[in-house]
Structures are given as C-alpha cells and as structure tokens.
C-alpha cells in the first residue's frame, strides 16, 4: 500500500487505519509512508530507505494497530524521529 491514508482527515485516518489493520491482520502487507506516526502505529517491523540503503528500526512494542495515545507508540515515534533526522 503506497500512502493509502494520506488524503484523509485525522479522525477518518485513524478509523480507517484501525479497520485496515483488523481486515489485513493475517496477511503480509508492505506499507509505504512518509508518516512516522502511521508507520509506528501500524507496523510489526519497520525499514527506512536512506541514501545509503535500507536500515532496520528497533522492534516496536505491542501489536498493531496501536492506540494513537499509547505511550509505547509515542516513544517509538520519538526514537524514530531522532534516528531518521
């Protein structure tokens, strides 16, 4: 899926992300996004494309979809932002 939620308002985006995660739970899905919060909320594993290659990110706590206010999600986003910046 390439930026599937990018054109949605925040509330609809959260609802559709949750629905997609539930519907696709038993499938392998490649989600391409520039939105760190979305990636952290929905991913089991994350990879970041950089100018020098593809880098793995630390494991994410819990199971997707993570609640938008989950402290583990917020910490993952902050960690990701610090390493990606």
């Amino acid at each position: 899926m390439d930026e599937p939620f990018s054109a949605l308002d925040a509330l609809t985006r959260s609802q559709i992300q949750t629905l997609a995660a539930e519907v696709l739970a038993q499938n392998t899905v490649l989600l391409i996004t520039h939105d760190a919060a979305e990636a952290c909320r929905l991913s089991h594993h994350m990879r970041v494309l950089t100018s020098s290659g593809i880098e793995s990110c630390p494991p994410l706590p819990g199971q997707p979809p993570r609640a938008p206010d989950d402290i583990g999600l917020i910490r993952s986003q902050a960690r990701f932002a610090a390493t990606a910046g």
Side-chain angles (χ1 to χ4, degrees):
M1 298 188 324
D2 186 6
E3 300 281 351
F5 313 110
S6 63
L8 302 173
D9 64 87
L11 179 59
T12 304
R13 177 180 299 159
S14 179
Q15 292 170 339
I16 298 299
Q17 286 173 343
T18 300
L19 177 61
E22 292 168 358
V23 169
L24 298 170
Q26 300 304 315
N27 297 281
T28 299
V29 177
L30 177 64
L31 172 66
I32 299 169
T33 184
H34 69 280
D35 185 338
E38 183 172 273
C40 291
R41 181 167 190 249
L42 297 175
S43 299
H44 287 278
H45 308 282
M46 283 184 17
R47 306 291 185 265
V48 177
L49 181 62
T50 68
S51 59
S52 59
I54 299 173
E55 298 179 12
S56 294
C57 295
L60 300 167
Q63 292 294 311
R66 294 167 187 86
D69 61 348
D70 178 82
I71 190 67
L73 171 66
I74 294 167
R75 288 182 179 146
S76 293
Q77 289 173 237
R79 189 171 48 243
F80 175 76
T83 59

